[in-house]
Amino acid sequence: MQPQVFARRRRELLRQMPPDSVAILPAAHHPIRNRDVEYPYHQESDFYYLTGFAEPDAILVLRKSGRKGSWGLFCQERNRKQEQWTGERLGTKRAISRMGADQAWPIESWLEQLPDLLTGTQQIFFNLGEESSIEQGLLRQLREFRQRNRSGAVVPQTIHLLDPMLHEMRLYKSPAEIRIMRRAASVTVAAHRRAMRACSPGLVESGLEGEILHEFSSHGVRIVAYDTIVAGGNNACTLHYINNSEKLRDGDLVLVDAGAEVEGYAADVTRTFPVNGRFTTEQRKLYEIVLAAQRAAIQQIRPGRRWDTFHRAAVRVITRGLIDLKILKGDPEQLIKDEKYKKFYMHQTGHWLGMDVHDVGNYQLDGKWRPLEQGMVLTVEPALYIPKGVRGVAKKWQGIGIRIEDDVVVTDSGCEVLTAEAPRSIEEIESLMAG
Ligand code: GLY
Ligand code: MN
Ligand code: MN
């Protein structure tokens, strides 16, 4: 992403902020895993959205003095000795010369600078509740102002969450963001195709996960958007199964939910296919229901349709399909009203997708499901889960979990499925696995 993009986003946020306000946004903390080993670092998405800066120990400050906006960055200062171990840092000088910050300070001086940053400011935008040392420092400073401020200086009276403004911005993806998401989608599609080709009975679930990661790495992608799910047979009925430790069995299906993260944007794709390359009769019948539900849902995605419309379309197809197979009995409308499908399909048909796999953005406005608009990106992921031992269902259907998940962008007149190249129909899957 070009630096101008981040500058434009900061300007837009500043435009929306009231006069004499300040927004404070810390970078993600870098937790230790054990001893000298750290968890892989991942920047906080809001912070990255506004800066494109991937280092830890940093704080973004946006200030509006009167109507004039400026921004500053607290960051790690350059330090040759430490950089020898952990790599190059940007440092404060280059935060100004390269990133275009109006001001930059070493992160250690944050508490010292805080009174100056807040004086003359009436409102603060800060996401409370993270319980970070930065939040504690800020709250301590405000208490100090309350107790000692007899000089008449203007000090903040109100704290707002930053989320509502920022997350509404993040919900609408620009053409440049969609181009990146298209790349995340295409790497992810290649990984799913590779997993289908590599699958055979006896392979451990983690072996198939390895195929996914291999494909990601070979495209230069080292970050998964979320932990890869490889769930054989009954394991697919656990929605977020990530043990990936069991052998894949002949005659079972396997559910693979995997997505690459490219330049900070996630893909989120699920495919379900037979371990041995051929669907059984029962698997085929259930799979066709989920596939038809997905088709019906995708048909509903266009500007103006409310968020719940595509979910309701999927629920209708799933309920009718389960009645046809005698897994549910009764009147379809009544069964839908009573939410009887929830025993086998207990999640929503999608979620916003973007920098976070479950991306930010409200689903409702003023108590009503919001209409879809051009530039919104979402997943469409109907499913059926019939675990072993479930009551009232013939044994032949049990131990089967199927989810089909694609990433969809709302266009001016309909939608585009970014991940359509990952085989979805029974014929496509069987033919790829046979080859
Ligand atoms: N991969 C998580 C989800 O599908 O929502
Ligand atoms: Mn999803
Ligand atoms: Mn998923």
Side-chain angles (χ1 to χ4, degrees):
M1 200 71 89
Q2 303 288 318
Q4 308 86 279
V5 173
F6 302 107
R8 212 177 307 132
R9 290 169 179 170
R10 287 190 298 267
R11 272 202 305 278
E12 172 56 24
L13 190 59
L14 277 162
R15 191 187 64 74
Q16 293 185 37
M17 286 165 56
D20 299 321
S21 62
V22 60
I24 298 170
L25 200 74
H29 176 59
H30 196 173
I32 301 284
R33 200 190 77 177
N34 46 356
R35 291 255 168 195
D36 289 337
V37 182
E38 289 157 337
Y39 283 106
Y41 186 67
H42 193 283
Q43 189 53 279
E44 201 277 322
S45 301
D46 287 337
F47 183 93
Y48 194 80
Y49 181 78
L50 291 171
T51 61
F53 187 53
E55 290 183 25
D57 294 317
I59 305 171
L60 169 68
V61 180
L62 296 165
R63 274 208 288 184
K64 198 153 168 184
S65 310
R67 303 198 162 275
K68 191 177 168 307
S70 64
W71 75 282
L73 188 72
F74 288 88
C75 61
Q76 300 176 98
E77 197 48 286
R78 300 214 59 186
N79 178 323
R80 261 180 224 294
K81 257 196 190 157
Q82 287 190 7
E83 287 179 51
Q84 168 88 62
W85 288 88
T86 51
E88 193 175 330
R89 296 171 174 179
L90 184 74
T92 51
K93 269 199 191 133
R94 294 194 293 185
I96 292 170
S97 65
R98 288 201 189 164
M99 285 181 69
D102 299 301
Q103 278 180 291
W105 310 267
I107 185 71
E108 291 78 12
S109 68
W110 150 249
L111 286 177
E112 205 178 299
Q113 296 292 337
L114 196 52
D116 276 356
L117 287 175
L118 297 180
T119 304
T121 293
Q122 298 189 337
Q123 306 185 54
I124 301 176
F125 289 84
F126 183 84
N127 285 330
L128 289 166
E130 302 294 331
E131 293 179 10
S132 65
S133 62
I134 292 160
E135 177 174 319
Q136 284 165 19
L138 178 64
L139 296 179
R140 255 198 315 273
Q141 183 58 52
L142 292 177
R143 192 178 58 210
E144 204 126 304
F145 278 145
R146 276 209 330 271
Q147 289 177 347
R148 288 169 203 247
N149 185 38
R150 299 192 189 96
S151 65
V154 173
V155 292
Q157 304 295 320
T158 319
I159 303 185
H160 305 271
L161 298 181
L162 191 51
D163 286 357
M165 267 195 288
L166 198 49
H167 291 180
E168 199 61 19
M169 283 168 65
R170 278 179 55 189
L171 178 56
Y172 296 86
K173 275 68 178 177
S174 68
E177 287 176 293
I178 290 168
R179 275 197 294 280
I180 296 174
M181 293 190 78
R182 216 173 258 131
R183 279 214 303 285
S186 97
V187 172
T188 300
V189 164
H192 279 270
R193 296 179 71 94
R194 183 189 181 105
M196 284 180 195
R197 280 196 303 265
C199 190
S200 65
L203 191 65
V204 184
E205 290 163 339
S206 58
L208 214 48
E209 180 182 13
E211 297 291 338
I212 295 276
L213 300 181
H214 187 143
E215 191 66 28
F216 287 175
S217 309
S218 66
H219 293 271
V221 172
R222 286 198 61 221
I223 308 176
V224 289
Y226 52 90
D227 286 337
T228 298
I229 296 168
V230 178
N234 194 54
N235 293 338
C237 298
T238 302
L239 302 188
H240 286 175
Y241 172 86
I242 51 167
N243 285 357
N244 301 355
S245 57
E246 291 187 21
K247 273 201 177 152
L248 295 169
R249 287 201 310 254
D250 204 356
D252 275 352
L253 291 177
V254 57
L255 180 155
V256 178
D257 185 348
E261 184 180 303
V262 171
E263 289 188 54
Y265 289 82
D268 182 10
V269 174
T270 306
R271 288 293 182 265
T272 310
F273 48 92
V275 169
N276 65 14
R278 297 280 302 171
F279 285 83
T280 65
T281 309
E282 285 75 24
Q283 290 165 353
R284 190 176 288 263
K285 287 184 175 163
L286 291 171
Y287 191 92
E288 289 291 7
I289 295 173
V290 181
L291 189 60
Q294 204 208 28
R295 285 206 191 99
I298 290 175
Q299 269 179 11
Q300 295 300 325
I301 295 181
R302 67 184 72 155
R305 290 287 153 99
R306 290 196 182 271
W307 170 264
D308 60 330
T309 313
F310 73 101
H311 175 61
R312 289 200 283 114
V315 160
R316 265 194 305 278
V317 173
I318 283 174
T319 303
R320 286 176 185 279
L322 291 176
I323 293 171
D324 287 346
L325 300 185
K326 302 191 170 40
I327 295 173
L328 284 180
K329 293 172 194 76
D331 169 56
E333 294 312 315
Q334 194 57 44
L335 290 169
I336 290 170
K337 227 166 137 197
D338 297 342
E339 300 186 332
K340 293 294 185 197
Y341 58 86
K342 278 199 172 168
K343 185 170 171 188
F344 310 106
Y345 179 44
M346 60 296 286
H347 57 72
Q348 287 290 310
T349 304
H351 50 79
W352 300 130
L353 180 72
M355 300 184 78
D356 298 324
V357 63
H358 292 172
D359 207 30
V360 295
N362 285 332
Y363 292 92
Q364 297 202 347
L365 295 175
D366 302 324
K368 273 194 176 152
W369 295 111
R370 79 188 295 162
L372 298 174
E373 293 176 63
Q374 185 175 359
M376 293 174 170
V377 182
L378 58 146
T379 65
V380 182
E381 49 179 306
L384 271 176
Y385 309 99
I386 309 184
K388 277 192 178 148
V390 66
R391 285 181 176 212
V393 180
K395 260 223 156 70
K396 62 179 179 177
W397 306 115
Q398 295 186 10
I400 297 178
I402 297 166
R403 182 162 67 248
I404 307 173
E405 176 174 30
D406 282 277
D407 302 346
V408 177
V409 51
V410 183
T411 61
D412 57 350
S413 58
C415 69
E416 176 192 340
V417 180
L418 299 175
T419 47
E421 296 300 313
R424 244 184 309 187
S425 71
I426 288 181
E427 303 71 50
E428 283 172 329
I429 290 173
E430 289 190 343
S431 124
L432 179 76
M433 294 184 76

